Short mmCIF file of all heavy atoms in Angstrom, two decimals:
data_model
loop_
_atom_site.label_atom_id
_atom_site.label_comp_id
_atom_site.label_asym_id
_atom_site.label_seq_id
_atom_site.Cartn_x
_atom_site.Cartn_y
_atom_site.Cartn_z
N ASN A 149 87.33 68.23 159.14
CA ASN A 149 86.92 69.60 158.78
C ASN A 149 86.57 69.68 157.30
O ASN A 149 87.41 69.38 156.45
CB ASN A 149 88.07 70.58 159.08
CG ASN A 149 88.18 70.86 160.58
OD1 ASN A 149 87.16 71.01 161.25
ND2 ASN A 149 89.39 70.88 161.11
N LYS A 150 85.35 70.09 156.98
CA LYS A 150 84.96 70.22 155.56
C LYS A 150 85.35 71.60 155.05
O LYS A 150 85.47 71.85 153.86
CB LYS A 150 83.44 70.02 155.41
CG LYS A 150 83.03 68.60 155.78
CD LYS A 150 82.01 67.97 154.88
CE LYS A 150 81.67 66.54 155.29
NZ LYS A 150 82.46 66.00 156.42
N GLU A 151 85.49 72.55 155.99
CA GLU A 151 85.79 73.92 155.56
C GLU A 151 87.15 74.33 156.13
O GLU A 151 87.64 73.74 157.10
CB GLU A 151 84.70 74.85 156.11
CG GLU A 151 83.29 74.47 155.65
CD GLU A 151 82.36 75.66 155.58
OE1 GLU A 151 82.48 76.54 156.44
OE2 GLU A 151 81.55 75.69 154.66
N LEU A 152 87.75 75.32 155.51
CA LEU A 152 88.98 75.89 156.06
C LEU A 152 88.58 76.99 157.04
O LEU A 152 87.51 77.62 156.88
CB LEU A 152 89.85 76.46 154.95
CG LEU A 152 90.52 75.43 154.03
CD1 LEU A 152 91.51 76.12 153.10
CD2 LEU A 152 91.24 74.35 154.83
N MET A 153 89.41 77.20 158.05
CA MET A 153 89.11 78.21 159.08
C MET A 153 90.24 79.21 159.19
O MET A 153 91.42 78.89 158.97
CB MET A 153 88.92 77.52 160.44
CG MET A 153 87.70 76.64 160.54
SD MET A 153 87.50 76.00 162.21
CE MET A 153 88.89 74.89 162.27
N TYR A 154 89.81 80.44 159.52
CA TYR A 154 90.78 81.54 159.62
C TYR A 154 90.38 82.41 160.82
O TYR A 154 89.31 83.02 160.80
CB TYR A 154 90.74 82.38 158.34
CG TYR A 154 92.01 83.12 158.01
CD1 TYR A 154 92.22 83.63 156.73
CD2 TYR A 154 93.02 83.32 158.94
CE1 TYR A 154 93.40 84.30 156.40
CE2 TYR A 154 94.18 83.98 158.62
CZ TYR A 154 94.37 84.47 157.35
OH TYR A 154 95.54 85.12 157.03
N LEU A 155 91.19 82.39 161.87
CA LEU A 155 90.93 83.23 163.05
C LEU A 155 91.52 84.61 162.79
O LEU A 155 92.69 84.72 162.39
CB LEU A 155 91.57 82.60 164.29
CG LEU A 155 91.41 83.34 165.61
CD1 LEU A 155 91.29 82.35 166.79
CD2 LEU A 155 92.55 84.31 165.90
N GLN A 156 90.69 85.63 162.97
CA GLN A 156 91.15 87.00 162.73
C GLN A 156 90.59 87.87 163.87
O GLN A 156 89.40 88.10 163.94
CB GLN A 156 90.64 87.52 161.37
CG GLN A 156 91.10 86.66 160.20
CD GLN A 156 90.63 87.17 158.84
OE1 GLN A 156 89.91 88.16 158.74
NE2 GLN A 156 91.05 86.51 157.78
N GLN A 157 91.48 88.29 164.76
CA GLN A 157 91.01 88.96 165.98
C GLN A 157 92.00 90.02 166.44
O GLN A 157 93.18 89.71 166.60
CB GLN A 157 90.83 87.92 167.09
CG GLN A 157 90.42 88.47 168.42
CD GLN A 157 88.98 88.94 168.45
OE1 GLN A 157 88.12 88.34 167.80
NE2 GLN A 157 88.72 90.03 169.14
N PRO A 158 91.55 91.25 166.66
CA PRO A 158 92.48 92.25 167.21
C PRO A 158 92.92 91.81 168.61
O PRO A 158 92.11 91.30 169.38
CB PRO A 158 91.63 93.53 167.30
CG PRO A 158 90.44 93.29 166.44
CD PRO A 158 90.21 91.81 166.42
N LEU A 159 94.20 91.97 168.90
CA LEU A 159 94.69 91.66 170.24
C LEU A 159 94.07 92.67 171.19
O LEU A 159 94.11 93.87 170.94
CB LEU A 159 96.22 91.75 170.28
CG LEU A 159 96.95 90.56 169.64
CD1 LEU A 159 98.44 90.83 169.60
CD2 LEU A 159 96.65 89.27 170.38
N ASN A 160 93.44 92.18 172.27
CA ASN A 160 92.80 93.13 173.20
C ASN A 160 93.13 92.74 174.64
O ASN A 160 93.89 91.82 174.87
CB ASN A 160 91.28 93.14 172.95
CG ASN A 160 90.74 91.73 173.06
OD1 ASN A 160 91.20 90.96 173.91
ND2 ASN A 160 89.84 91.37 172.17
N GLU A 161 92.48 93.45 175.57
CA GLU A 161 92.88 93.29 176.99
C GLU A 161 92.46 91.94 177.58
O GLU A 161 92.81 91.62 178.69
CB GLU A 161 92.32 94.46 177.81
CG GLU A 161 90.81 94.61 177.84
CD GLU A 161 90.23 94.88 176.45
OE1 GLU A 161 90.91 95.53 175.63
OE2 GLU A 161 89.11 94.38 176.18
N THR A 162 91.74 91.12 176.82
CA THR A 162 91.31 89.83 177.42
C THR A 162 92.44 88.80 177.40
O THR A 162 92.32 87.74 177.96
CB THR A 162 90.13 89.21 176.63
OG1 THR A 162 90.60 88.91 175.30
CG2 THR A 162 88.95 90.16 176.55
N VAL A 163 93.56 89.15 176.74
CA VAL A 163 94.61 88.13 176.63
C VAL A 163 95.33 87.95 177.97
O VAL A 163 95.29 88.82 178.83
CB VAL A 163 95.65 88.51 175.53
CG1 VAL A 163 94.99 88.59 174.18
CG2 VAL A 163 96.35 89.82 175.88
N GLY A 164 95.99 86.80 178.10
CA GLY A 164 96.68 86.49 179.37
C GLY A 164 97.93 87.34 179.56
O GLY A 164 98.42 87.98 178.63
N THR A 165 98.47 87.33 180.78
CA THR A 165 99.59 88.21 181.13
C THR A 165 100.85 87.90 180.30
O THR A 165 101.59 88.82 179.94
CB THR A 165 99.96 88.05 182.63
OG1 THR A 165 99.95 86.65 182.92
CG2 THR A 165 98.97 88.75 183.54
N ARG A 166 101.07 86.63 179.96
CA ARG A 166 102.30 86.32 179.20
C ARG A 166 102.22 86.90 177.78
O ARG A 166 103.21 87.37 177.24
CB ARG A 166 102.55 84.80 179.17
CG ARG A 166 103.04 84.29 180.53
CD ARG A 166 103.24 82.81 180.56
NE ARG A 166 104.39 82.40 179.74
CZ ARG A 166 104.72 81.09 179.56
NH1 ARG A 166 103.95 80.15 180.12
NH2 ARG A 166 105.75 80.76 178.84
N ILE A 167 101.00 86.92 177.26
CA ILE A 167 100.83 87.52 175.91
C ILE A 167 101.06 89.02 176.01
O ILE A 167 101.72 89.64 175.18
CB ILE A 167 99.42 87.23 175.35
CG1 ILE A 167 99.19 85.73 175.21
CG2 ILE A 167 99.21 87.97 174.03
CD1 ILE A 167 99.87 85.05 174.05
N VAL A 168 100.56 89.61 177.10
CA VAL A 168 100.76 91.06 177.30
C VAL A 168 102.25 91.34 177.38
O VAL A 168 102.77 92.27 176.76
CB VAL A 168 100.04 91.54 178.61
CG1 VAL A 168 100.40 92.98 178.92
CG2 VAL A 168 98.53 91.37 178.48
N MET A 169 102.97 90.48 178.10
CA MET A 169 104.44 90.65 178.22
C MET A 169 105.10 90.57 176.85
O MET A 169 105.87 91.44 176.46
CB MET A 169 104.99 89.51 179.08
CG MET A 169 104.95 89.84 180.52
SD MET A 169 106.48 90.03 181.32
CE MET A 169 107.18 88.44 181.03
N ASP A 170 104.71 89.53 176.09
CA ASP A 170 105.30 89.36 174.75
C ASP A 170 105.02 90.61 173.90
O ASP A 170 105.88 91.14 173.21
CB ASP A 170 104.71 88.13 174.04
CG ASP A 170 105.00 86.83 174.79
OD1 ASP A 170 105.98 86.83 175.56
OD2 ASP A 170 104.26 85.85 174.59
N PHE A 171 103.77 91.08 174.00
CA PHE A 171 103.32 92.24 173.21
C PHE A 171 104.14 93.48 173.60
O PHE A 171 104.64 94.23 172.77
CB PHE A 171 101.82 92.47 173.47
CG PHE A 171 101.20 93.60 172.69
CD1 PHE A 171 100.68 93.38 171.42
CD2 PHE A 171 101.14 94.89 173.21
CE1 PHE A 171 100.09 94.41 170.69
CE2 PHE A 171 100.57 95.93 172.49
CZ PHE A 171 100.04 95.69 171.23
N THR A 172 104.33 93.63 174.90
CA THR A 172 105.09 94.79 175.40
C THR A 172 106.52 94.77 174.87
O THR A 172 107.14 95.80 174.62
CB THR A 172 105.11 94.77 176.95
OG1 THR A 172 103.80 94.46 177.41
CG2 THR A 172 105.54 96.09 177.54
N ASN A 173 107.02 93.54 174.67
CA ASN A 173 108.42 93.40 174.25
C ASN A 173 108.61 93.37 172.73
O ASN A 173 109.69 93.07 172.23
CB ASN A 173 109.04 92.14 174.87
CG ASN A 173 109.18 92.28 176.39
OD1 ASN A 173 109.44 93.39 176.87
ND2 ASN A 173 108.93 91.21 177.12
N PHE A 174 107.54 93.69 171.97
CA PHE A 174 107.74 93.85 170.52
C PHE A 174 108.77 94.97 170.32
O PHE A 174 108.96 95.82 171.20
CB PHE A 174 106.42 94.25 169.84
CG PHE A 174 105.41 93.13 169.73
CD1 PHE A 174 104.13 93.40 169.28
CD2 PHE A 174 105.72 91.82 170.07
CE1 PHE A 174 103.16 92.40 169.16
CE2 PHE A 174 104.77 90.80 169.96
CZ PHE A 174 103.50 91.10 169.51
N ASN A 175 109.39 94.99 169.16
CA ASN A 175 110.38 96.03 168.87
C ASN A 175 109.68 97.35 168.55
O ASN A 175 109.71 97.84 167.41
CB ASN A 175 111.28 95.58 167.71
CG ASN A 175 112.42 96.54 167.45
OD1 ASN A 175 112.44 97.65 168.02
ND2 ASN A 175 113.37 96.15 166.61
N TRP A 176 109.06 97.92 169.59
CA TRP A 176 108.31 99.17 169.40
C TRP A 176 109.23 100.32 169.03
O TRP A 176 108.84 101.25 168.31
CB TRP A 176 107.49 99.51 170.65
CG TRP A 176 106.40 98.54 170.92
CD1 TRP A 176 106.33 97.59 171.91
CD2 TRP A 176 105.20 98.36 170.15
NE1 TRP A 176 105.18 96.86 171.80
CE2 TRP A 176 104.46 97.29 170.74
CE3 TRP A 176 104.67 98.98 169.00
CZ2 TRP A 176 103.24 96.86 170.23
CZ3 TRP A 176 103.45 98.55 168.50
CH2 TRP A 176 102.74 97.50 169.11
N GLY A 177 110.47 100.25 169.48
CA GLY A 177 111.42 101.33 169.16
C GLY A 177 111.53 101.50 167.65
O GLY A 177 111.35 102.61 167.12
N TRP A 178 111.74 100.38 166.97
CA TRP A 178 111.89 100.47 165.50
C TRP A 178 110.56 100.82 164.84
O TRP A 178 110.48 101.66 163.94
CB TRP A 178 112.42 99.13 164.94
CG TRP A 178 112.42 99.15 163.45
CD1 TRP A 178 113.26 99.87 162.65
CD2 TRP A 178 111.50 98.49 162.58
NE1 TRP A 178 112.92 99.68 161.33
CE2 TRP A 178 111.85 98.82 161.26
CE3 TRP A 178 110.42 97.61 162.80
CZ2 TRP A 178 111.15 98.34 160.16
CZ3 TRP A 178 109.72 97.13 161.70
CH2 TRP A 178 110.09 97.49 160.40
N ALA A 179 109.48 100.21 165.31
CA ALA A 179 108.15 100.47 164.72
C ALA A 179 107.79 101.95 164.85
O ALA A 179 107.40 102.60 163.87
CB ALA A 179 107.08 99.61 165.40
N ASN A 180 108.02 102.49 166.04
CA ASN A 180 107.67 103.91 166.27
C ASN A 180 108.57 104.83 165.44
O ASN A 180 108.12 105.83 164.89
CB ASN A 180 107.79 104.24 167.75
CG ASN A 180 106.81 103.43 168.59
OD1 ASN A 180 105.85 102.86 168.07
ND2 ASN A 180 107.08 103.31 169.88
N GLU A 181 109.84 104.44 165.31
CA GLU A 181 110.79 105.26 164.52
C GLU A 181 110.36 105.24 163.05
O GLU A 181 110.33 106.27 162.37
CB GLU A 181 112.18 104.64 164.69
CG GLU A 181 113.33 105.39 164.05
CD GLU A 181 114.53 104.45 163.90
OE1 GLU A 181 114.74 103.61 164.79
OE2 GLU A 181 115.20 104.52 162.85
N THR A 182 109.96 104.07 162.56
CA THR A 182 109.51 103.96 161.16
C THR A 182 108.24 104.79 160.94
O THR A 182 108.11 105.51 159.95
CB THR A 182 109.25 102.48 160.82
OG1 THR A 182 110.43 101.73 161.11
CG2 THR A 182 108.87 102.29 159.35
N GLN A 183 107.33 104.72 161.90
CA GLN A 183 106.08 105.49 161.83
C GLN A 183 106.39 106.98 161.75
O GLN A 183 105.87 107.70 160.91
CB GLN A 183 105.23 105.18 163.08
CG GLN A 183 104.00 106.03 163.25
CD GLN A 183 103.39 105.85 164.65
OE1 GLN A 183 104.07 105.42 165.60
NE2 GLN A 183 102.14 106.17 164.79
N LYS A 184 107.31 107.41 162.61
CA LYS A 184 107.64 108.84 162.72
C LYS A 184 108.37 109.32 161.45
O LYS A 184 107.97 110.30 160.83
CB LYS A 184 108.54 109.02 163.96
CG LYS A 184 108.60 110.44 164.48
CD LYS A 184 108.95 110.51 166.01
CE LYS A 184 109.71 111.81 166.31
NZ LYS A 184 111.16 111.56 166.37
N LYS A 185 109.37 108.54 161.03
CA LYS A 185 110.20 108.93 159.87
C LYS A 185 109.35 109.11 158.61
O LYS A 185 109.63 109.93 157.76
CB LYS A 185 111.24 107.83 159.62
CG LYS A 185 112.68 108.30 159.81
CD LYS A 185 113.70 107.35 159.27
CE LYS A 185 113.60 105.95 159.77
NZ LYS A 185 114.82 105.15 159.48
N ASN A 186 108.29 108.30 158.53
CA ASN A 186 107.47 108.33 157.31
C ASN A 186 106.16 109.11 157.50
O ASN A 186 105.28 109.07 156.65
CB ASN A 186 107.18 106.89 156.86
CG ASN A 186 108.49 106.20 156.45
OD1 ASN A 186 109.04 106.49 155.39
ND2 ASN A 186 109.00 105.34 157.33
#
Side-chain angles (χ1 to χ4, degrees):
N149 284 319
K150 295 222 179 356
E151 302 208 324
L152 289 188
M153 292 185 291
Y154 206 164
L155 180 146
Q156 301 181 358
Q157 177 72 35
L159 284 174
N160 55 38
E161 61 297 328
T162 64
V163 298
T165 43
R166 287 178 69 183
I167 299 284
V168 173
M169 273 247 301
D170 298 337
F171 182 88
T172 316
N173 293 325
F174 287 172
N175 186 350
W176 293 108
W178 173 71
N180 297 343
E181 185 199 323
T182 305
Q183 172 192 21
K184 199 155 150 261
K185 244 193 306 194
N186 295 287

